[in-house]
Structure formats: structure tokens, C-alpha cells
Amino acid sequence: MITVCGAGTLGANLLENLARSGVTPLRVIDCDRVEPRNLANQPYTTLQLKQPKCTALAELLFYAAGTQLETVEKRLTAENARKFLHGSSLVVDCFDNSGSRAAVQNACRTLGLPCLHVGLSRDRYGEVVWDERYVVPADTDGLPACLEISRNLALMVVCAATEAVTAFQGSQARRSFSLTLGDLAVTEL
């Protein structure tokens, strides 16, 4: 079971890529609802506005690829992370805040689960990094990063994350990537 934490710009697009690639079983953890601002970078439709993101994504993946997505419509916290992540063969952290990222990291380390962190920054940079090399960043003030990130960068990061997940599934290889949109650089770390 691959568990993706977060059904926003990175998590929802990553789950769509994995489902369309035939990767199963999949689980998503998210507590948010689809909002109009999500439609620019996330695969949801106007018909799904106000639905829980987990429900909307499960519907989308079923109709697009016949994938049954297991959903956890809860906020992941330090207190419940081990419970929600237990039984995963791989955890992919796509959250957009440091508190949730730290909860995922701590739970994965406690449970001995492989964990891949996928993130974006406001300065046109993205990364796909395995937990052994990952440092949880500090939260930044202001609007959530997803409001200022281009769809192009988000989809490039999602493609790199898809490569990292499928390489891990195929051979347990742990590929990490750094992506910079400004110079269109993708570098394996």
C-alpha cells in the first residue's frame, strides 16, 4: 500500500499519475475540501467543489483508471500519524506545512517505513527527497505556497516523484531529485 499524505497540488496529481500507470494499492490522507482556488493546479473539477478532496480524488481515479483509492478524510497529526501510516509499504509526504511533514517523518522513522518527501518552494524550486536526506523546512509566513507556484513546476515535480516511486517499487532504488524551473534543470541527487 502506497500512502500519499496530502491531496493538494502535489499529492492529487501524483496519485493520478500513479493510478494511470497502474500502480496499486493506493491510499490518501487529507482533511481538506475542494475550493475554487484548487482548480488551477489540482485535477479536481467544478462539479467537485466543496467535496472532501479524498472523496473527489477517489471518484476521479475510479473513472479515469478504474483505481480503488483508499481514503482517510482526517487531519494527520503527531498523535494519529502512526495509526494512519501503519501497514504502508511506502509513504509519500506531499503536505504543504512543516507540522504535518514532521509528523509523517517521525511516524515513518518510528515504524521503520520508507518515506519520500515531495515539496515545492516559492522560489521556483522543487525536490523529491528520501527521508534519510530530508530536513523538515520551517513554515513561511503568508499565503500557502500552492497559490504562488506555477502548474509547470508542480507537474515537473510530480513526474520526478512518479519516477522515484516506480523505481522504488521495481528495485527498491531510492532516487532523489532537485528541480529548478528558472533554468529548467532536473538533477538526480
Side-chain angles (χ1 to χ4, degrees), residues 8 22 48 115:
Q48 296 174 315
C115 182

Side-chain angles (χ1 to χ4, degrees), residues 32-53:
D32 292 338
R33 293 184 174 271
V34 179
E35 299 177 29
R37 67 184 177 95
N38 300 139
L39 300 179
N41 290 329
Q42 299 172 22
Y44 306 111
T45 70
T46 56
L47 297 174
Q48 296 174 315
L49 289 171
K50 299 183 182 178
Q51 284 185 1
K53 285 184 176 181

Side-chain angles (χ1 to χ4, degrees), residues 73-181:
E73 292 178 10
K74 304 276 186 186
R75 179 175 303 281
L76 187 137
T77 65
E79 293 75 32
N80 64 23
R82 287 189 303 266
K83 173 184 164 189
F84 291 155
L85 300 178
H86 181 77
S88 301
S89 59
L90 170 62
V91 175
V92 184
D93 163 28
C94 294
F95 283 133
D96 63 0
N97 67 83
S98 61
S100 296
R101 286 183 174 277
V104 170
Q105 184 177 59
N106 291 335
C108 287
R109 288 179 176 181
T110 299
L111 295 169
L113 299 174
C115 182
L116 182 66
H117 300 274
V118 182
L120 296 169
S121 76
R122 294 172 190 232
D123 57 0
R124 301 169 54 95
Y125 170 79
E127 65 181 7
V128 176
V129 180
W130 286 93
D131 190 59
E132 300 81 37
R133 300 175 68 179
Y134 185 72
V135 176
V136 176
D139 279 330
T140 57
D141 293 332
L143 298 172
C146 64
L147 294 180
E148 299 177 10
I149 298 295
S150 77
R151 182 166 171 80
N152 292 337
L153 176 60
L155 294 179
M156 286 174 55
V157 171
V158 165
C159 288
T162 303
E163 285 296 315
V165 169
T166 55
F168 180 77
Q169 276 208 298
S171 66
Q172 301 293 297
R174 293 186 182 216
R175 298 178 70 196
S176 294
F177 298 95
S178 168
L179 299 95
T180 309
L181 190 59

